[in-house]
Amino acid sequence: MLHLTTLKIEKYEKIGQAKYRLYLSNGEVIDTFDEIILKNDLLLKKELDNYLYNQVITESKIQEYYNACIKYITIRIRSTKEIRDYLKKKNVENEDIDYIVEKLSKEKFLDDNHFCECFIKDKLKFTTMGEHKIIFELKKHNISVDIIENNRYLMSEDILKEKIDKIITKQISTNRKLDKSKLRNKLYNHLLNAGYSSNLIVDRLNIHF
């Protein structure tokens, strides 16, 4: 940071939603946000000493990263790990990452339980993933065992059976010339790799073969 005495704020200019540009007496320009202006009473003080200058610069950068996270989350729901990784790629300090994550959590933009619920529903609806693979993917997001267990009911046996049946039916339809025993083995391995339990796979295969 620069070593300053006191700088006057010569002009305020609105440059976006809740975003302002401050023109300082030394010719420098600072982009900041309305909440930072209000928090630091800049409308009343209209000047920055060395400490306040550094504080406004730091808080403005953090707010910029915070806003970027919200945009990132609006594309699709994110896990806490994804946000931390996103900020690390931007070379944000660990202390600032902790602050941003805590703020996002308090304001309900981040919620790993909600993420877990949405993740499971999405994978059940739009992929062929079974229970074990879904759980494996959730753990890669650092979702806790407790949160996963609390949402495990979403992967009911009836839903998993229905998914397996659809896969089996489709494969039987497209592999009519394949020997039944070979097709059964092929399906068993395919479903096992997709994350379904061996017992449930055998149960459904016995019905179709």
Side-chain angles (χ1 to χ4, degrees):
M1 296 295 178
L2 296 175
H3 293 287
L4 306 172
T5 51
T6 300
L7 292 173
K8 289 185 179 180
I9 300 171
E10 301 283 358
K11 180 183 174 184
Y12 296 86
E13 180 186 359
K14 189 167 186 178
I15 58 172
Q17 187 176 4
K19 193 169 184 179
Y20 289 81
R21 183 161 288 159
L22 308 184
Y23 294 84
L24 306 184
S25 55
N26 68 342
E28 187 176 355
V29 175
I30 298 174
D31 290 345
T32 188
F33 300 87
D34 55 1
E35 67 177 73
I36 294 169
I37 291 172
L38 294 171
K39 176 186 173 185
N40 294 289
D41 293 327
L42 298 186
L43 291 173
L44 296 174
K45 294 176 182 175
K46 294 189 177 179
E47 61 181 25
L48 302 171
D49 60 19
N50 204 44
Y51 172 79
L52 192 53
Y53 172 87
N54 290 335
Q55 184 165 297
V56 169
I57 293 292
T58 300
E59 289 179 357
S60 298
K61 284 182 179 178
I62 291 173
Q63 186 65 38
E64 194 76 56
Y65 291 132
Y66 176 82
N67 291 348
C69 286
I70 291 177
K71 288 181 181 179
Y72 187 53
I73 292 168
T74 55
I75 296 170
R76 69 164 175 79
I77 188 170
R78 306 284 177 178
S79 65
T80 300
K81 182 181 184 301
E82 283 181 287
I83 293 298
R84 287 189 177 277
D85 290 345
Y86 174 73
L87 290 170
K88 283 176 184 176
K89 286 180 182 178
K90 292 182 176 290
N91 297 315
V92 181
E93 296 290 334
N94 288 334
E95 184 180 349
D96 294 335
I97 291 175
D98 290 341
Y99 172 82
I100 292 168
V101 165
E102 184 179 354
K103 187 176 180 183
L104 288 167
S105 298
K106 282 183 179 178
E107 297 188 6
K108 305 301 181 184
F109 288 108
L110 267 187
D111 182 342
D112 277 351
N113 186 73
H114 182 56
F115 172 84
C116 182
E117 179 184 346
C118 293
F119 187 91
I120 291 171
K121 288 179 178 178
D122 181 78
K123 298 308 176 187
L124 288 174
K125 186 173 182 180
F126 298 110
T127 77
T128 59
M129 281 189 192
E131 178 183 12
H132 299 305
K133 193 162 187 178
I134 291 173
I135 291 172
F136 175 77
E137 292 298 322
L138 284 168
K139 286 180 178 178
K140 283 167 65 175
H141 282 273
N142 287 352
I143 304 302
S144 72
V145 173
D146 287 343
I147 289 177
I148 292 172
E149 287 303 314
N150 287 341
N151 288 280
R152 200 161 184 160
Y153 73 94
L154 294 166
M155 297 179 281
S156 69
E157 189 173 281
D158 286 343
I159 289 174
L160 295 173
K161 283 179 179 179
E162 184 180 344
K163 284 174 65 66
I164 291 173
D165 286 344
K166 284 182 180 179
I167 294 169
I168 292 173
T169 301
K170 184 177 179 179
Q171 288 297 315
I172 289 174
S173 176
T174 55
N175 291 277
R176 293 184 183 279
K177 294 181 180 180
L178 193 64
D179 178 79
K180 284 190 176 182
S181 62
K182 289 182 179 180
L183 179 56
R184 180 187 171 105
N185 288 336
K186 179 183 175 181
L187 276 165
Y188 176 83
N189 290 324
H190 172 71
L191 290 165
L192 201 63
N193 289 331
Y196 296 94
S197 70
S198 177
N199 289 340
L200 202 57
I201 295 169
V202 172
D203 174 69
R204 304 321 292 172
L205 286 173
N206 287 341
I207 291 172
H208 291 272
F209 288 90

